[in-house]
Amino acid sequence: AQKVTQAQTEISVVEKEDVTLDCVYETRDTTYYLFWYKQPPSGELVFLIRRNSFDEQNEISGRYSWNFQKSTSSFNFTITASQVVDSAVYFCALSDFSPNTDKLIFGTGTRLQVFP
Amino acid sequence: GAGVSQSPSNKVTEKGKDVELRCDPISGHTALYWYRQSLGQGLEFLIYFQGNSAPDKSGLPSDRFSAERTGGSVSTLTIQRTQQEDSAVYLCASSLEGQYNEQYFGPGTRLTVT
């Protein structure tokens, strides 16, 4: 069965610190997609990134970077020089490759608090 | 352009009453999804629409829950005879046709059953 584990329930950092959010997934599919979403206090989930299982290149977007390692089934997310506006709940998700569906399987989320 | 919209934003209802939650997807998005977010349960998938048909209803928790989509656009999630455990935020998302495109979420409807 597919599963996403975000072991870190809550992380607190001081502004300008780097922080890594862990995501470990389980799937029997050879083709799959991984996603990260941000849920700020306003509540609306914001798409951050999508990655397919054939592309293990790390990705950087400004202060955000993602490290995808198939060998350890991990897709970790690092925020460099964190800011107060990064405070949110972050969800990692996995696509379900079962027939006739296109749903996402979410982890339980990591709440990040960045203090000034 | 406009994002996914949901109405109402908040709904308080008495146990046993029926409720309808509405979702307007992004224009041109053929896929539509309903999820539920509650404390202790995280984000749970409810149902997936491709056009007006629902090939995956596996997440609907009971037969009190139903959903429909008309004109390949607006969707309504109906909960009959609401129970307290139905209290949650109901999120709608839409995406372009084709699997594994990113899903764009609406602001959600917070349902409270008293």
Side-chain angles (χ1 to χ4, degrees):
Chain A
Q2 283 112 333
K3 186 179 177 183
V4 176
T5 301
Q6 294 180 257
Q8 303 151 310
T9 306
E10 189 161 340
I11 301 175
S12 295
V13 299
V14 177
E15 224 174 2
K16 297 185 184 175
E17 282 186 38
D18 299 347
V19 57
T20 295
L21 310 181
D22 297 334
C23 173
V24 174
Y25 61 92
E26 296 174 32
T27 181
R28 289 186 212 160
D29 297 325
T30 53
T31 301
Y32 52 89
Y33 284 79
L34 293 160
F35 301 79
W36 276 94
Y37 282 85
K38 173 182 180 180
Q39 189 175 40
S42 61
E44 195 159 333
L45 278 158
V46 177
F47 165 78
L48 295 179
I49 190 171
R50 179 185 69 160
R51 210 82 177 125
N52 76 54
S53 52
F54 296 110
D55 184 0
E56 285 195 72
Q57 227 177 355
N58 289 336
E59 180 145 347
I60 298 175
S61 176
R63 296 184 296 107
Y64 295 172
S65 61
W66 291 269
N67 183 299
F68 176 30
Q69 293 197 341
K70 285 178 82 169
S71 61
T72 55
S73 297
S74 66
F75 185 42
N76 295 339
F77 173 30
T78 297
I79 302 174
T80 303
S82 58
Q83 300 176 2
V84 172
V85 293
D86 296 327
S87 297
V89 180
Y90 291 86
F91 291 94
C92 181
L94 170 69
S95 58
D96 185 337
F97 207 84
S98 305
N100 300 319
T101 193
D102 193 22
K103 68 183 182 223
L104 294 178
I105 297 159
F106 285 89
T108 50
T110 297
R111 180 178 299 277
L112 173 65
Q113 291 195 317
V114 182
F115 294 100
Chain B
V4 178
S5 61
Q6 293 185 246
S7 60
S9 55
N10 278 286
K11 176 73 177 178
V12 180
T13 190
E14 291 180 356
K15 179 181 169 181
K17 295 280 178 73
D18 298 350
V19 295
E20 283 190 354
L21 311 180
R22 177 188 168 102
C23 172
D24 279 275
I26 293 172
S27 177
H29 281 193
T30 57
L32 186 146
Y33 319 78
W34 284 96
Y35 293 86
R36 179 168 73 172
Q37 185 173 24
S38 51
L39 284 174
Q41 297 294 324
L43 273 155
E44 304 173 273
F45 166 79
L46 297 177
I47 188 168
Y48 156 59
F49 285 93
Q50 182 57 255
N52 290 335
S53 62
D56 188 357
K57 307 179 186 179
S58 62
L60 294 178
S62 74
D63 58 8
R64 297 186 296 104
F65 287 72
S66 63
E68 65 173 14
R69 189 179 184 194
T70 54
S73 179
V74 172
S75 175
T76 303
L77 176 69
T78 300
I79 309 173
Q80 294 179 310
R81 306 181 302 283
T82 51
Q83 303 294 312
Q84 288 187 329
E85 61 261 29
D86 299 335
S87 296
V89 177
Y90 289 82
L91 294 165
C92 177
S94 70
S95 73
L96 289 168
E97 184 174 358
Q99 287 188 308
Y100 317 123
N101 284 309
E102 52 268 30
Q103 297 178 18
Y104 292 91
F105 284 79
T109 293
R110 181 176 297 277
L111 175 66
T112 304
V113 182
T114 61

